[in-house]
Amino acid sequence: MRTPNTFVILSLASVAATLASCHHAKPPTKVIKLDEMVIEGKQPEPPGPAEKDITLAEAGVNASWMDRGADPCGDFYQYACGGWMKDNAIPADQAAWDVTKVMEQDNETALNQILVGAAKTTTDAKTDPVTAKIGAYYAACMDEAGIEKADAKPLAPLLAAIAKVKDTKSLVAALALLHAHQIWPLFDISAQQDFKDATQEIASLDQDGLGLPDRDYYLSDDQHLADIRAFYVTHVEKMLALTGMKAAAAKTAAADVMRIETAIATLSQTRVERRDPYKVYHRVNRDGLAQLAPHLGWDAYFGAIGFADVKDISVNSEAYWKGIDALAGTEKPAAWRNYLTWWAVHALAPRLSKRFVDESFTLRQTLYGVKELPPRWKRCVRAVDEGLGELLGQPYVQQKFSGDSKTLAEAIVTHIKDAMAAELATLAWMDDATRKVAQEKLSKMVDQIGYPSKWREYAFDVSPTDYAADALAAQAFEFHRVLTKVGKPVDKTEFGMTPPTVNAYYDPSMNEMVFPAGILQPPYFSKDFDDAVNYGATGGTVGHELTHGFDDEGSQFDPDGNLRNWWSDTTAKSFKADGACVSTQYSAFEAKPGLHENGDLTLGENIADIGGLKLALAAYHAIRKDAKERLVADGFSEDQQFFLAYAQTWCTNARAEQEEVQVRTNEHSLARFRVLGPLQAIPAFADAFQCKAGAAMKPANVCTVW
Ligand SMILES: [Zn+2]
């Protein structure tokens, strides 16, 4: 599992990643003054606008998703999503099922149609290179007979290199080969913007090489995690046996893997530590790296991965690199061969024959509670999106994000920025010097909507009959593309997700927000929805990403994306105090008896949820200020529609195992708390639904930062 230490902040719990190009939005020029909306006591009451009756469906709210029997002031999540939860059982091949998964499913169906057509196309690569390439990749992935026939053969070149490991020098050579295919035993390497000089790209060396999701899985006394460890050892053993290892050897090898990974886990930083940019950024040059880890032969490593000239590097922690350097010497070459073999087969298994795919899937089953392997076509759609995302994105965007959708989404972003400008102008806890920089940061914030302005090219050959080779070629290409950035100025035209991705992000080093076309689909967004729904759903997401620029992590990066403290001590102090209140609020949420949300781990996301929704509401109120009529949808006021739309973007059913992994490892709170937390913190919600003091949705203490 790849965990880059760049601070890209994703909006949703599910994560995808790749990269390409952008347009710069102009900084907002119009500032909405929220205080204009306050009607002074002396003025006569203006006549209220007329009411117009519409239906919830016309507005864009799903009435059947609601549970009208629930008390909106008691549990608004149940009220908005109760019907959806009842009607949407978790499919057997999924760990959780939510609104974004339904969107992904719709996307996958559309993408599959595109790919089935592309695989059959008779046009050659010269006339239509995009169609030819995605068609060939998909055809190779769908060719089950060919994949069965190849069986374990695609592993052979990797295993041959691993078999040569007899000392640290040959260990480094094997590591370099695996890394150059984005397979990450022991550590990973990537490019990142230098935290202290955001115009430059440097190399990033980071902790990695754990087959389980987090260090806790190796180190915790928790019985559930101990059970998973026991399963894991037998799983590793079975996977190694599939490569042809004898039973006794596979047993020894699995013990080696567990021992090495436990040692790596002990050296690894916790997820909470990794949220602190100062803890994961330590810039060194090649001499400095050689001093930290003298036995790992860095000249040979950088030469072997094809980047001999890399000079400037950030390492996540000094302790990690000293630790793995020592580990390289204390573990025997045979143990390293076993560990690397496990990593090769673990990484490539999903691209191999059925016996590999099935055994590999049991790990996912155990960790996340997924019951069934997704059908082949779905796995192949995802594979093309991973390998050739910006080629597949081109026909997708033509089909699903045409014409005025982009203009409309851009207008929402502009209005949310305007609302933030208004909030900044009046915010009481921020002193003027800090306020000035915050305003500069907002005005320099870039957004990219839908798809990149310049599509990436994929300069490698794809065979319609060799799936594993295609996948390895795609991974090698991506590795090379990323590392090529090191030592060069930052390319501000990159798009960090593929266009069909149902997600969004804020990148503090870039000071930019990105919203792929995939998330700008119903029920988040439609040009046919009312503003209340577009602002509650997509506006909430935009506000969330924007707030990341000013949350506990974003506040450490300045308007140009440099890691620099631009907050005065007093402002930082009140921010911290308000943050502590939010942390306490969320730590009180219980996922299951005894398992609480980690308010510190999820702090940035929770602040962004609360602040983002407040901004969306302010932006919505501003655009409706002079509206001639109020839309009443089946009796629901505009504000009520807004909150319903927000809550319905989070409708979720999740398996207990999945919730447990998320609570322990993810920076995002569980979906129901992402509804309850912000709505409890925004008094306008209790007003809209006339909740009485003491109701669960109208707590006495309200925590809010932005
Ligand atoms: Zn977020």
Side-chain angles (χ1 to χ4, degrees), residues 504-522:
Y505 67 87
Y506 172 77
D507 180 340
S509 290
M510 286 280 196
N511 190 22
E512 83 172 347
M513 305 187 277
V514 176
F515 303 93
I519 195 142
L520 298 168
Q521 306 288 331

Side-chain angles (χ1 to χ4, degrees), residues 8-12 503-506 541 544-545 548 551 604-606 608-609 667-668 674:
V8 172
I9 298 162
L10 307 168
S11 148
L12 303 169
N503 211 331
Y505 67 87
Y506 172 77
T541 312
H544 173 106
E545 299 307 337
H548 274 317
D551 70 6
E605 294 302 323
N606 297 333
D609 278 346
E667 297 87 359
H668 301 83
R674 298 188 74 172

Side-chain angles (χ1 to χ4, degrees), residues 49-50 55 105 115 135 152 170 205 222 231 253 293 313 340 368 403 430 517 536 552 646 667 679:
T55 64
Q105 182 176 253
L115 287 168
S170 44
L205 283 171
D222 184 289
F231 163 82
I313 301 150
L340 297 184
Y368 302 101
M430 190 168 259
D552 61 330
Y646 171 73
E667 297 87 359
L679 298 187

Side-chain angles (χ1 to χ4, degrees), residues 397-410:
V397 161
Q398 273 171 16
Q399 217 179 77
K400 303 274 277 188
F401 196 65
S402 54
D404 47 350
S405 296
K406 189 170 161 104
T407 320
L408 200 64
E410 282 169 348

